[in-house]
Structure formats: structure tokens, C-alpha cells
Amino acid sequence: MSSKPIHLVRIDAQSSASTDPSVPLEGSLRPLFGLDAGSLTAVMVELGEPAWRGQQLVEALYRQRVSSLEEVTTLPKGLRERLASGWEVGRPSIAQVFRSADGTERYLVQGSGGNAETVETVWMPEGDGGEAGDGSLSDGTTETDSISLTGSRSRATICVSSQVGCAVNCQFCLTAKLGLQRNLTAGEIAGQVVSVLARHRVEVGRDRLNLVFMGMGEPFLNYDNFMSAVRLLVEEVGLSPQRMTVSTSGIVPGIERFAGEPAELRPKLAISLNAPNNEVRAEIMPINRKWPIEAVVDAVRKIKLRSRERITFEYVLLGDVTDRPEHALEVARLARRTNLPVKVNLIAWNPGPGVEYTMPSPGRVEEFRAILTAEGILTYVRKPRGRDIFAACGQLKRTVET
Ligand code: SAH
Ligand code: SF4
């Protein structure tokens, strides 16, 4: 792979312009979706209404999942009309659906305010055999228990995007080909989840739902919006952060900030390790030249893990490049050296146009898993979901053609 041009990434602090969220902009409707309880209350107070009206908006936006102001029937008609002069619900909407033979659905989600670019969100009705299917749940039940406990309400996983495109330029990833187009706002990140919950009529608290921030983009390069979205999903939508996993390519300042988040808001962490050592990793992930494996592990060490929590190492198996038996032994040594409770999620590389790697043979995948397991490392193989609709890991975004 050394013949490929490798571009180093510019890592800038990226945050959205901050204006007072409770004051609408002149001449354009501002989205209510994405505002937290405090800001929604401020909107109501600004209109001369009592503060509890803000809570009615919270209920409507995040629990009843309304998509237009007319549906907010808890507010009097006159108030809805006054609100509509400056505000709209503005939740991102599902513009297109691709359905896989395995039940996976890939959505093109349109941001609020008619933003032309769409982002991709994936619904996996039975998890992905990785984050969701790791055999143990944070409440101590096993998966078999959870299926029988929930009867026909099966588990599902939603894979969420954090940016349009990505700047990190991993050589094996299709999203990297887009470059970074823009950051998503908190409302656009949380809105992907709420739109999919609405489509599938998911009952929060009853259905088993996992979120993985593993769609397009690098969440830790859009840190503030990503964490604001998590806060909305936990505090207003009612999802548990222990059922959320965020994956990073190893953005050390992001991991350090993440370590400072309170346990009741912090999702679990997955690190895209993807290589057995720094040399191979720098070839396939140029970001490794800025933050090598040791720097990433040192940052991860700062996280105060909850009981039974593990750090996931994702490992993409690229034919001949990272899938050899000696690589598995190196990964095992590396995992042990970290002295952290880790588990490894193996992902067979998913092909895409213009990305010149090869898939590992099924035999190689199994051999890799067996070596890691024999070395005492908890290891899972992530099921490829929705490959036929380009919904599998690293295949976002293939735009509208399938
Ligand atoms: N940007 C974040 C999260 C999104 S990528 C990150 O890189 O961690 C989610 C996972 O998909 C990462 O572990 C990444 O290594 C993996 N991935 C990327 N392209 C892939 C491909 N073509 N096949 C399989 N996995 C891929
Ligand atoms: Fe970005 Fe993740 Fe793809 Fe790397 S693997 S380019 S960090 S989306």
C-alpha cells in the first residue's frame, strides 16, 4: 500500500458558531429539534409563556416524535401559530430507504433547513454481532435472556453518522473518499435516531436498542455536537449511555475530553485499532503518525470504566495486509500490554469502488478469531449487515445508487 499517496489530516477544533439558541434568526425558521429542555423553556419564556410549556415541547419533540408544529396539540392553537412565525420542528427526515435482504435498512437522512447533502443512518434489526452481540449486556443478563424477556420485541441497533464525509483518510474506508463536507449539528445527530425510532415505532424502555456512533465521520472531530446529541438522547429521549458505543480512529484530545464526561452521560468506547503495530497502522491510517497506538492507549487509560465495561478494539481484516496469523499474535500481545479490560471486534473488510484492498478469506477470519481466543482475548466477529445495499461498515457513503 506504500505506493498510495497518504495525506495527513489537519485536526482543527471544530465547533459550530454559537448564537443564543432561544432567539430565532431574522427571516428564517430555526429548528426546535436539537434544543435541550433549558433552551426550549427559554423559547417559551421569550414568547411570554410559563416555563412548563418548555417541558411540553420536550415531550412533543423527543417522546411523541412530532414532525410538525401542528402535531403539538398540548399547546394552544394561538401559541402554535406564534411559535411558527420563528420556529419549525426541523427534525431531520428520512429521504430515502434502502432495504437489505437481511432486514437491514439504510437511510439517506436530510438535515433540517433543506440542506442538500444527506447523511446515512443504518437500522440493524438484530444488532451486528459486534457491539450489540457481544454476549453480555450491561444489566448482567445474557443475550438469550434478553430475547426471551422481550418476547417478540427483538433487539436492534442504529448506526449513526456524526459528520458528512470524514477528514481522517483511512485508506480502506469509502467514507474517506468524500473528504470532510461538514459537521452535523447536535439536532442532526440525535434526529437520525429519533426519525428511525419513529419509523419503527420503537418503545424506549421496552425494546432493546443499541446505538453505535459508527456511521459516517469521526465523532471526536465534531466533539461538542456529538456530546450534545448524546445528552439529548439520554436526558430527553430516555436512552441509556451504556447502550451506546462511540467509535474513534484514535483522536487523543477527543478521548481525553471523553474521559472527563460523567458516567451517566458517557457512551462506551471503541477504538479503531485495525492493525497489529504502528508500522502497519500508519500505512492504512495516516492519523497514526500523529497519535500512535501508545498515545491512544494512554488516553484511554484515563477513562473511569463502569463495572463490567470493556474497551472495544475494532480490527478490520484486510486480505494479506492485516489478517495473517502472526498479526493475530501481535494483536493479542498488544491487547495484553494495555492492561485494560478489552474485547476485540473483528470486521472483515467490506469492499467499495476505488478502494484497493482485498477481503480476507472466511478461513483467515476464523483463524484470526481462534488465535486471539486461544491467547485469552475476548473476541467477536462482526456480522456484515446490509452489504447488498452498501450499508456495511465503511461502505457509507455510496450515495443513491445501490
Ligand atoms: N470514524 C470512526 C467511526 C466510523 S467507522 C472510526 O473510524 O472509528 C466505523 C468502523 O468501520 C471503524 O472501526 C472502521 O475501521 C471500520 N471500517 C471503515 N471502513 C471499513 C470497510 N471498508 N470495511 C469494514 N470496516 C470498515
Ligand atoms: Fe473516517 Fe472512520 Fe472512515 Fe477513518 S474509518 S476515514 S475515521 S469514517
mmCIF file of all heavy atoms in Angstrom, residues 172-173 213-215 217-219 247-249 272 274 314 316 347-350 393-394, ligand 1:
data_model
loop_
_atom_site.group_PDB
_atom_site.id
_atom_site.type_symbol
_atom_site.label_atom_id
_atom_site.label_comp_id
_atom_site.label_asym_id
_atom_site.label_seq_id
_atom_site.Cartn_x
_atom_site.Cartn_y
_atom_site.Cartn_z
ATOM 1 N N PHE A 172 -8.682 2.367 3.753
ATOM 2 C CA PHE A 172 -9.582 1.263 3.412
ATOM 3 C C PHE A 172 -11.060 1.674 3.454
ATOM 4 O O PHE A 172 -11.942 0.856 3.255
ATOM 5 C CB PHE A 172 -9.383 0.111 4.412
ATOM 6 C CG PHE A 172 -9.403 0.612 5.839
ATOM 7 C CD1 PHE A 172 -10.602 0.804 6.497
ATOM 8 C CD2 PHE A 172 -8.216 0.931 6.497
ATOM 9 C CE1 PHE A 172 -10.630 1.307 7.793
ATOM 10 C CE2 PHE A 172 -8.240 1.434 7.799
ATOM 11 C CZ PHE A 172 -9.445 1.616 8.443
ATOM 12 N N CYS A 173 -11.322 2.962 3.752
ATOM 13 C CA CYS A 173 -12.696 3.373 4.071
ATOM 14 C C CYS A 173 -13.299 4.207 2.953
ATOM 15 O O CYS A 173 -12.689 5.157 2.478
ATOM 16 C CB CYS A 173 -12.696 4.169 5.379
ATOM 17 S SG CYS A 173 -14.284 4.909 5.775
ATOM 18 N N PHE A 213 -22.209 4.940 17.308
ATOM 19 C CA PHE A 213 -21.789 6.110 16.534
ATOM 20 C C PHE A 213 -20.631 5.661 15.660
ATOM 21 O O PHE A 213 -19.464 5.874 15.977
ATOM 22 C CB PHE A 213 -21.421 7.263 17.479
ATOM 23 C CG PHE A 213 -22.605 7.750 18.271
ATOM 24 C CD1 PHE A 213 -22.882 7.236 19.527
ATOM 25 C CD2 PHE A 213 -23.476 8.694 17.720
ATOM 26 C CE1 PHE A 213 -23.995 7.665 20.247
ATOM 27 C CE2 PHE A 213 -24.583 9.130 18.430
ATOM 28 C CZ PHE A 213 -24.849 8.609 19.689
ATOM 29 N N MET A 214 -21.008 4.959 14.609
ATOM 30 C CA MET A 214 -20.016 4.324 13.744
ATOM 31 C C MET A 214 -20.371 4.527 12.278
ATOM 32 O O MET A 214 -19.943 3.773 11.411
ATOM 33 C CB MET A 214 -19.941 2.811 14.020
ATOM 34 C CG MET A 214 -19.481 2.465 15.416
ATOM 35 S SD MET A 214 -19.283 0.710 15.618
ATOM 36 C CE MET A 214 -18.846 0.621 17.356
ATOM 37 N N GLY A 215 -21.220 5.520 12.023
ATOM 38 C CA GLY A 215 -21.579 5.803 10.642
ATOM 39 C C GLY A 215 -20.516 6.686 10.000
ATOM 40 O O GLY A 215 -19.325 6.529 10.265
ATOM 41 N N GLY A 217 -18.107 9.650 9.373
ATOM 42 C CA GLY A 217 -17.471 10.713 10.139
ATOM 43 C C GLY A 217 -16.739 10.249 11.380
ATOM 44 O O GLY A 217 -16.883 9.099 11.818
ATOM 45 N N GLU A 218 -15.971 11.165 11.915
ATOM 46 C CA GLU A 218 -15.188 10.903 13.133
ATOM 47 C C GLU A 218 -15.838 11.716 14.264
ATOM 48 O O GLU A 218 -15.685 12.939 14.331
ATOM 49 C CB GLU A 218 -13.734 11.322 12.873
ATOM 50 C CG GLU A 218 -12.839 11.391 14.093
ATOM 51 C CD GLU A 218 -12.895 10.161 14.975
ATOM 52 O OE1 GLU A 218 -12.496 9.072 14.532
ATOM 53 O OE2 GLU A 218 -13.335 10.292 16.142
ATOM 54 N N PRO A 219 -16.560 11.029 15.155
ATOM 55 C CA PRO A 219 -17.305 11.753 16.191
ATOM 56 C C PRO A 219 -16.427 12.691 17.014
ATOM 57 O O PRO A 219 -16.868 13.772 17.408
ATOM 58 C CB PRO A 219 -17.857 10.632 17.077
ATOM 59 C CG PRO A 219 -17.807 9.403 16.244
ATOM 60 C CD PRO A 219 -16.734 9.577 15.226
ATOM 61 N N SER A 247 -17.273 5.127 18.312
ATOM 62 C CA SER A 247 -16.027 4.607 17.760
ATOM 63 C C SER A 247 -15.167 5.759 17.276
ATOM 64 O O SER A 247 -15.646 6.665 16.585
ATOM 65 C CB SER A 247 -16.359 3.671 16.598
ATOM 66 O OG SER A 247 -15.182 3.307 15.920
ATOM 67 N N THR A 248 -13.884 5.710 17.637
ATOM 68 C CA THR A 248 -12.960 6.745 17.158
ATOM 69 C C THR A 248 -11.740 6.096 16.519
ATOM 70 O O THR A 248 -11.319 5.013 16.920
ATOM 71 C CB THR A 248 -12.515 7.688 18.300
ATOM 72 O OG1 THR A 248 -11.597 8.650 17.757
ATOM 73 C CG2 THR A 248 -11.824 6.950 19.436
ATOM 74 N N SER A 249 -11.204 6.824 15.557
ATOM 75 C CA SER A 249 -9.979 6.367 14.914
ATOM 76 C C SER A 249 -8.763 6.624 15.802
ATOM 77 O O SER A 249 -7.654 6.257 15.450
ATOM 78 C CB SER A 249 -9.825 7.095 13.580
ATOM 79 O OG SER A 249 -9.880 8.497 13.790
ATOM 80 N N SER A 272 -10.709 2.195 16.817
ATOM 81 C CA SER A 272 -10.400 1.510 15.564
ATOM 82 C C SER A 272 -8.905 1.222 15.530
ATOM 83 O O SER A 272 -8.114 2.039 15.085
ATOM 84 C CB SER A 272 -10.793 2.389 14.371
ATOM 85 O OG SER A 272 -12.197 2.519 14.327
ATOM 86 N N ASN A 274 -7.300 -1.721 14.146
ATOM 87 C CA ASN A 274 -7.157 -2.069 12.728
ATOM 88 C C ASN A 274 -5.790 -2.558 12.273
ATOM 89 O O ASN A 274 -5.612 -2.868 11.088
ATOM 90 C CB ASN A 274 -7.557 -0.883 11.823
ATOM 91 C CG ASN A 274 -9.040 -0.589 11.911
ATOM 92 O OD1 ASN A 274 -9.794 -1.435 12.374
ATOM 93 N ND2 ASN A 274 -9.461 0.574 11.486
ATOM 94 N N GLU A 314 -11.707 -2.303 17.586
ATOM 95 C CA GLU A 314 -12.197 -2.781 16.287
ATOM 96 C C GLU A 314 -10.987 -3.096 15.424
ATOM 97 O O GLU A 314 -9.964 -2.393 15.461
ATOM 98 C CB GLU A 314 -13.037 -1.690 15.621
ATOM 99 C CG GLU A 314 -14.325 -1.418 16.373
ATOM 100 C CD GLU A 314 -14.891 -0.076 15.990
ATOM 101 O OE1 GLU A 314 -14.282 0.947 16.394
ATOM 102 O OE2 GLU A 314 -15.899 -0.052 15.272
ATOM 103 N N VAL A 316 -10.228 -4.203 11.508
ATOM 104 C CA VAL A 316 -10.664 -4.513 10.146
ATOM 105 C C VAL A 316 -9.648 -5.460 9.516
ATOM 106 O O VAL A 316 -8.449 -5.145 9.468
ATOM 107 C CB VAL A 316 -10.776 -3.227 9.294
ATOM 108 C CG1 VAL A 316 -11.178 -3.574 7.866
ATOM 109 C CG2 VAL A 316 -11.792 -2.267 9.896
ATOM 110 N N ILE A 347 -13.704 -7.261 12.030
ATOM 111 C CA ILE A 347 -14.607 -6.869 10.938
ATOM 112 C C ILE A 347 -13.924 -7.255 9.630
ATOM 113 O O ILE A 347 -12.843 -6.747 9.337
ATOM 114 C CB ILE A 347 -14.852 -5.337 10.905
ATOM 115 C CG1 ILE A 347 -15.137 -4.787 12.309
ATOM 116 C CG2 ILE A 347 -15.964 -4.991 9.934
ATOM 117 C CD1 ILE A 347 -15.091 -3.257 12.394
ATOM 118 N N ALA A 348 -14.531 -8.180 8.908
ATOM 119 C CA ALA A 348 -13.970 -8.483 7.587
ATOM 120 C C ALA A 348 -14.158 -7.254 6.714
ATOM 121 O O ALA A 348 -15.241 -6.664 6.689
ATOM 122 C CB ALA A 348 -14.681 -9.692 6.981
ATOM 123 N N TRP A 349 -13.118 -6.861 6.051
ATOM 124 C CA TRP A 349 -13.183 -5.638 5.240
ATOM 125 C C TRP A 349 -14.308 -5.740 4.213
ATOM 126 O O TRP A 349 -14.458 -6.761 3.528
ATOM 127 C CB TRP A 349 -11.848 -5.401 4.528
ATOM 128 C CG TRP A 349 -11.856 -4.179 3.665
ATOM 129 C CD1 TRP A 349 -11.909 -2.883 4.087
ATOM 130 C CD2 TRP A 349 -11.823 -4.134 2.231
ATOM 131 N NE1 TRP A 349 -11.907 -2.036 3.015
ATOM 132 C CE2 TRP A 349 -11.851 -2.772 1.855
ATOM 133 C CE3 TRP A 349 -11.761 -5.108 1.234
ATOM 134 C CZ2 TRP A 349 -11.834 -2.363 0.524
ATOM 135 C CZ3 TRP A 349 -11.744 -4.697 -0.086
ATOM 136 C CH2 TRP A 349 -11.782 -3.339 -0.437
ATOM 137 N N ASN A 350 -15.088 -4.680 4.114
ATOM 138 C CA ASN A 350 -16.151 -4.604 3.104
ATOM 139 C C ASN A 350 -15.634 -3.810 1.917
ATOM 140 O O ASN A 350 -15.133 -2.702 2.091
ATOM 141 C CB ASN A 350 -17.379 -3.904 3.683
ATOM 142 C CG ASN A 350 -18.049 -4.749 4.745
ATOM 143 O OD1 ASN A 350 -18.387 -5.901 4.504
ATOM 144 N ND2 ASN A 350 -18.205 -4.192 5.934
ATOM 145 N N CYS A 393 -20.159 -1.682 7.414
ATOM 146 C CA CYS A 393 -19.102 -0.801 7.921
ATOM 147 C C CYS A 393 -18.220 -0.293 6.800
ATOM 148 O O CYS A 393 -17.746 -1.056 5.977
ATOM 149 C CB CYS A 393 -18.169 -1.564 8.856
ATOM 150 S SG CYS A 393 -18.907 -2.080 10.357
ATOM 151 N N GLY A 394 -17.990 1.005 6.805
ATOM 152 C CA GLY A 394 -17.038 1.582 5.868
ATOM 153 C C GLY A 394 -17.574 1.708 4.455
ATOM 154 O O GLY A 394 -16.876 2.154 3.561
HETATM 155 N N1 SAH B 1 -14.735 7.241 12.222
HETATM 156 C C1 SAH B 1 -14.932 6.340 13.287
HETATM 157 C C2 SAH B 1 -16.288 5.692 13.260
HETATM 158 C C3 SAH B 1 -16.836 5.295 11.916
HETATM 159 S S1 SAH B 1 -16.044 3.997 11.085
HETATM 160 C C4 SAH B 1 -13.846 5.296 13.294
HETATM 161 O O1 SAH B 1 -13.118 5.184 12.323
HETATM 162 O O2 SAH B 1 -13.711 4.621 14.298
HETATM 163 C C5 SAH B 1 -16.635 2.564 11.966
HETATM 164 C C6 SAH B 1 -15.738 1.334 11.816
HETATM 165 O O3 SAH B 1 -15.782 0.844 10.463
HETATM 166 C C7 SAH B 1 -14.271 1.615 12.128
HETATM 167 O O4 SAH B 1 -13.783 0.677 13.054
HETATM 168 C C8 SAH B 1 -13.596 1.447 10.787
HETATM 169 O O5 SAH B 1 -12.274 0.986 10.970
HETATM 170 C C9 SAH B 1 -14.485 0.444 10.093
HETATM 171 N N2 SAH B 1 -14.390 0.456 8.630
HETATM 172 C C10 SAH B 1 -14.126 1.503 7.825
HETATM 173 N N3 SAH B 1 -14.137 1.112 6.529
HETATM 174 C C11 SAH B 1 -14.395 -0.212 6.514
HETATM 175 C C12 SAH B 1 -14.571 -1.181 5.483
HETATM 176 N N4 SAH B 1 -14.470 -0.854 4.212
HETATM 177 N N5 SAH B 1 -14.868 -2.440 5.842
HETATM 178 C C13 SAH B 1 -15.009 -2.774 7.151
HETATM 179 N N6 SAH B 1 -14.884 -1.905 8.155
HETATM 180 C C14 SAH B 1 -14.569 -0.638 7.857
#
